[in-house]
C-alpha cells in the first residue's frame, strides 16, 4: 500500500509505502497522514505524519498499529484548544489507552502493542512524538540526523553506560524494545524539538523493517537523491532484496519552502553546528595553550597571566558551545506561540553525502539483479537497463555520485517491478527472485 501527494500550497512533497516484506504472513505496520488543506488550518495544527509497527499474535499487532496510526491523528485534530506539542503527547497517550483496553477486554488481543513515531510540522518547527524503536530522521545538506531515541535494549544499555560500540558490535538481542503502546495502562512519550526546518529538508519516518537491512548512510543518500515517491519505493525494494525479514514502512517528507520552512536555506549555519565546532576548536586550542604556559611558568617569569586568560577563553567558548547545542528555539511566524525545548535530539548524525562507496554498492545490487533475472526469463528491457548502467558508470567517472545513485536506483526499481510481474504471472521457481 502506498500514498503519495503534494500539499495544497505546494510547500511539501510526501509519499508513504508499507510492504509485508519477505518472511511475514501479514503486515503489522501502518502509517497515516494529516496535511493541512489551507493556511489557516496549517497555522493551528500543521501537518502530521505517523508510522506504527505492531506486535502480537496474528491480527493483534495489525490492529494495534492501525489503532495507533488512525487514533493519534483523530485525537490530535480534536484537541484544538491545546498547544500542538501537548496535543500530540495527549493523542499518543489516548491511543495507548485504547490499545490497552482492547487487549484487556479481548483474549485474542492480550499483550498486543505497537511502536509509534510521529512527525509534526508546525509554524514553530518540527516536533517528534515517539514510543518504541521506529525512527524519525532529518536530512539536510548531506547530514542525516536521527531525531528519535530507540527505546530498545541496546540503546538503553548504551545510555546507561553498560555497553559501548556500534549496534552491530554489541552482543545483545536487537529486537527487544523497552517501551511501546498498549501493553501497559500508562506510557511515557518522548517529545523532541522543535527543530528548525529549512527549504530542502527531507524527513524520513520508518519502521525497523527498513533500518535493519538498509544502512543509515544509504537511507540518507537515497532520500537525498530521489523525489519522495521514488525514494520510498527504492528503500522498500532494497530492504526486500536483502531478505526483507520484517514488514517495511517508510514515509518521506520533503520541504519545498515557506510556510513550513522556518529558516532561510541561504543561512550557512542554520542549526549552529558549524559555529559550535568553531567554538569547540577555539576552546581546545586555548586549553592546550593554557596548559603549556602553565608548565613553562617556572622557566618563564610573567607567563601566568596569559595562561589564566587562555584558560578563561577556553571555558567561555565551551560554555557557549554547550548552550548553543541545546538551544533549539528558532525563528517562528508572527503570532505562533513559542514551544519549550523538548528532548535531547538529534541522537545520532551521519554523513550521507553521495559517494563512490554507496554508488558502487547500489551498482553491485543492480548487476546481481540483472544476472539473476536474466536466468529466469523476465520481461525486462535489457537495452534500457544497459543504458542505465552505462550512465551510472559515466556519472561515477565524473564523480557525480548523486546522479550515479539516481541511475542505479532507477535500474533496481525497473528489475524489481519485472520480478513482481513475473511472480504474479508464473509459478515460483527455485530462484531467490521469486521471493517477491
Amino acid at each position: 500500500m502506498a500514498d503519495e501527494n503534494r500539499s495544497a500550497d505546494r510547500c511539501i512533497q510526501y509519499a508513504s509505502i508499507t510492504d509485508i516484506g519477505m518472511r511475514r504472513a501479514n503486515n503489522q505496520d501502518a502509517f497515516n497522514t494529516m496535511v493541512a488543506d489551507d493556511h489557516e488550518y496549517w497555522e493551528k495544527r500543521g501537518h502530521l505524519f505517523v508510522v506504527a509497527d505492531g506486535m502480537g499474535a496474528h491480527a493483534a499487532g495489525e490492529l494495534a498499529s492501525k489503532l495507533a496510526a488512525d487514533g493519534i491523528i483523530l485525537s490530535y485534530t480534536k484537541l484544538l484548544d491545546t498547544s500542538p506539542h501537548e496535543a500530540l503527547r495527549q493523542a499518543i497517550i489516548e491511543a495507548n489507552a485504547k490499545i490497552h483496553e482492547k487487549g484487556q477486554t479481548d483474549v485474542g488481543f492480550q499483550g498486543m502493542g505497537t511502536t509509534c513515531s510521529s512527525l509534526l510540522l508546525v509554524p514553530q518547527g518540527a516536533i517528534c512524538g515517539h514510543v518504541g524503536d521506529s525512527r524519525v530522521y532529518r536530512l539536510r545538506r548531506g547530514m542525516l540526523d536521527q531525531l528519535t531515541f530507540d527505546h530498545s535494549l541496546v540503546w538503553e544499555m548504551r545510555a546507561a553506560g553498560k555497553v559501548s560500540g556500534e549496534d552491530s558490535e554489541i552482543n545483545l538481542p536487537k529486537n527487544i524494545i523497552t517501551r511501546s503502546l498498549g501493553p501497559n495502562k500508562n506510557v511515557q512519550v518522548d517529545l523532541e524539538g522543535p527543530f528548525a526546518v529549512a527549504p530542502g529538508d527531507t524527513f524520513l519516518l520508518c519502521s525497523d523493517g527498513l533500518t535493519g537491512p538498509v544502512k543509515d548512510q544509504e537511507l540518507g543518500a537515497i532520500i537525498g537523491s530521489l523525489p519522495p515517491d521514488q525514494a520510498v519505493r527504492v528503500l522498500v525494494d532494497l530492504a526486500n532484496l536483502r531478505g526483507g525479514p520484517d514488514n517495511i514502512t517508510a514515509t518521506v517528507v520533503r520541504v519545498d519552502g515557506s510556510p513550513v520552512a522556518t529558516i532561510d536555506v541561504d543561512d550557512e549555519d542554520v542549526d549552529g553546528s558549524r559555529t559550535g565546532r568553531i567554538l569547540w576548536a577555539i576552546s581546545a586550542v586555548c586549553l592546550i595553550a593554557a596548559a603549556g604556559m602553565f608548565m613553562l611558568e617556572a622557566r618563564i617569569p610573567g607567563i601566568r597571566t596569559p595562561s589564566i586568560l587562555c584558560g578563561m577563553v577556553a571555558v567561555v567558548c565551551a560554555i557557549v558551545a554547550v548552550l548553543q547545542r541545546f538551544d533549539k528555539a528558532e525563528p517562528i511566524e508572527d503570532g505562533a506561540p513559542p514551544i519549550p525545548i523538548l528532548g535531547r535530539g538529534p541522537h545520532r548524525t551521519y554523513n550521507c553525502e553521495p559517494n563512490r562507496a554507496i554508488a558502487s554498492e547500489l551498482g553491485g545490487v543492480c548487476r546481481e539483479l540483472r544476472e539473476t533475472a536474466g536466468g529466469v526469463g523476465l520481461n525486462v528491457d535489457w537495452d534500457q537497463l544497459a543504458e542505465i548502467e552505462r550512465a551510472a558508470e559515466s556519472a561515477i567517472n565524473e564523480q557525480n555520485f548523486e546522479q550515479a545513485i539516481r541511475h542505479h536506483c532507477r535500474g533496481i526499481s525497473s528489475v524489481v517491478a519485472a520480478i513482481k510481474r513475473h511472480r504474479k504471472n508464473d509459478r515460483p521457481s527455485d530462484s531467490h527472485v521469486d521471493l517477491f
Side-chain angles (χ1 to χ4, degrees):
M1 182 171 62
D3 176 48
E4 56 190 67
N5 215 326
R6 183 188 289 266
S7 68
D9 58 6
R10 304 182 71 82
C11 61
I12 60 169
Q13 301 175 56
Y14 61 95
S16 299
I17 191 168
T18 186
D19 189 272
I20 194 172
M22 309 306 304
R23 304 180 189 177
R24 300 293 188 182
N26 63 324
N27 191 349
Q28 296 186 331
D29 283 5
F31 69 84
N32 205 347
T33 62
M34 183 215 75
V35 176
D37 55 7
D38 58 54
H39 189 77
E40 182 181 359
Y41 196 77
W42 149 255
E43 289 184 328
K44 290 181 179 179
R45 296 287 92 179
H47 306 317
L48 179 59
F49 305 86
V50 181
V51 163
D53 179 0
M55 62 202 78
H58 303 294
E62 189 172 349
L63 177 61
S65 63
K66 181 173 176 55
L67 287 173
D70 294 347
I72 289 170
I73 286 184
L74 181 61
S75 296
Y76 177 78
T77 58
K78 293 180 177 179
L79 297 168
L80 296 177
D81 296 329
T82 308
S83 60
H85 66 288
E86 286 300 333
L88 180 58
R89 186 200 305 272
Q90 186 60 37
I92 296 173
I93 291 173
E94 290 180 8
N96 177 75
K98 291 178 182 178
I99 298 168
H100 179 73
E101 180 183 4
K102 184 66 176 178
Q104 294 296 304
T105 57
D106 192 321
V107 65
F109 297 123
Q110 285 183 354
M112 71 177 182
T114 182
T115 68
C116 159
S117 290
S118 56
L119 170 68
L120 177 62
L121 298 175
V122 289
Q124 297 93 331
I127 299 170
C128 300
H130 174 67
V131 178
D133 66 346
S134 296
R135 293 176 177 177
V136 180
Y137 295 91
R138 180 189 65 184
L139 179 72
R140 175 184 292 162
R141 296 181 176 179
M143 300 303 293
L144 185 71
D145 293 320
Q146 182 175 335
L147 304 181
T148 52
F149 180 94
D150 285 10
H151 299 136
S152 66
L153 179 62
V154 171
W155 275 56
E156 299 285 4
M157 292 284 282
R158 182 188 290 108
K162 296 182 179 180
V163 296
S164 61
E166 296 296 323
D167 292 354
S168 59
E169 300 170 350
I170 298 174
N171 188 24
L172 288 172
K174 305 299 189 296
N175 60 344
I176 296 179
I177 64 173
T178 57
R179 206 186 300 179
S180 62
L181 301 184
N184 300 307
K185 184 177 181 179
N186 299 313
V187 66
Q188 180 182 350
V189 179
D190 280 4
L191 293 182
E192 303 277 0
F195 300 101
V197 181
D201 280 359
T202 302
F203 294 88
L204 168 65
L205 296 81
C206 59
S207 62
D208 66 340
L210 177 63
T211 55
V214 184
K215 301 173 185 176
D216 294 280
Q217 289 79 5
E218 293 172 325
L219 295 175
I222 290 171
I223 67 174
S225 301
L226 299 171
D229 59 329
Q230 296 178 30
V232 292
R233 181 73 266 170
V234 170
L235 290 173
V236 168
D237 288 344
L238 194 56
N240 275 327
L241 287 170
R242 291 174 175 169
D246 201 354
N247 308 141
I248 311 156
T249 300
T251 292
V252 174
V253 183
R254 180 165 298 165
V255 177
D256 289 338
S258 62
V260 175
T262 61
I263 55 176
D264 189 350
V265 72
D266 292 330
D267 186 343
E268 290 297 326
D269 194 24
V270 290
D271 265 345
S273 57
R274 189 178 66 171
T275 301
R277 289 193 294 270
I278 293 173
L279 288 171
W280 280 116
I282 294 173
S283 178
V285 170
C286 290
L287 188 60
I288 293 171
M293 285 187 284
F294 180 79
M295 288 186 291
L296 291 173
E297 183 181 351
R299 299 182 180 180
I300 305 176
I303 203 173
R304 172 173 293 188
T305 299
S307 174
I308 293 173
L309 289 175
C310 285
M312 292 174 62
V313 171
V315 171
V316 170
C317 288
I319 291 173
V320 172
V322 169
L323 291 176
Q324 186 183 55
R325 168 64 178 82
F326 290 102
D327 183 12
K328 296 195 185 92
E330 300 292 342
I332 60 176
E333 291 189 356
D334 293 340
I339 292 176
I341 297 170
L342 307 168
R344 298 183 178 181
H347 296 277
R348 284 185 174 178
T349 299
Y350 304 89
N351 186 342
C352 295
E353 288 280 358
N355 57 46
R356 185 181 300 274
I358 295 174
S360 298
E361 176 72 20
L362 294 176
V365 172
C366 196
R367 285 190 296 274
E368 183 179 355
L369 268 175
R370 172 170 46 79
E371 293 169 0
T372 305
V376 293
L378 293 184
N379 183 19
V380 176
D381 188 336
W382 299 110
D383 291 337
Q384 182 186 49
L385 185 60
E387 181 180 344
I388 289 173
E389 291 184 332
R390 286 194 296 270
E393 286 301 315
S394 177
I396 289 177
N397 292 334
E398 296 172 0
Q399 298 191 16
N400 188 344
F401 302 120
E402 180 177 337
Q403 186 69 21
I405 289 171
R406 195 175 294 122
H407 285 309
H408 283 316
C409 287
R410 181 184 170 200
I412 290 170
S413 291
S414 66
V415 178
V416 169
I419 291 173
K420 290 184 175 181
R421 291 193 298 269
H422 176 79
R423 176 68 171 172
K424 289 179 181 178
N425 297 331
D426 296 328
R427 189 165 63 89
S429 70
D430 292 332
S431 170
H432 74 270
V433 299
D434 288 311
L435 289 172
F436 287 92

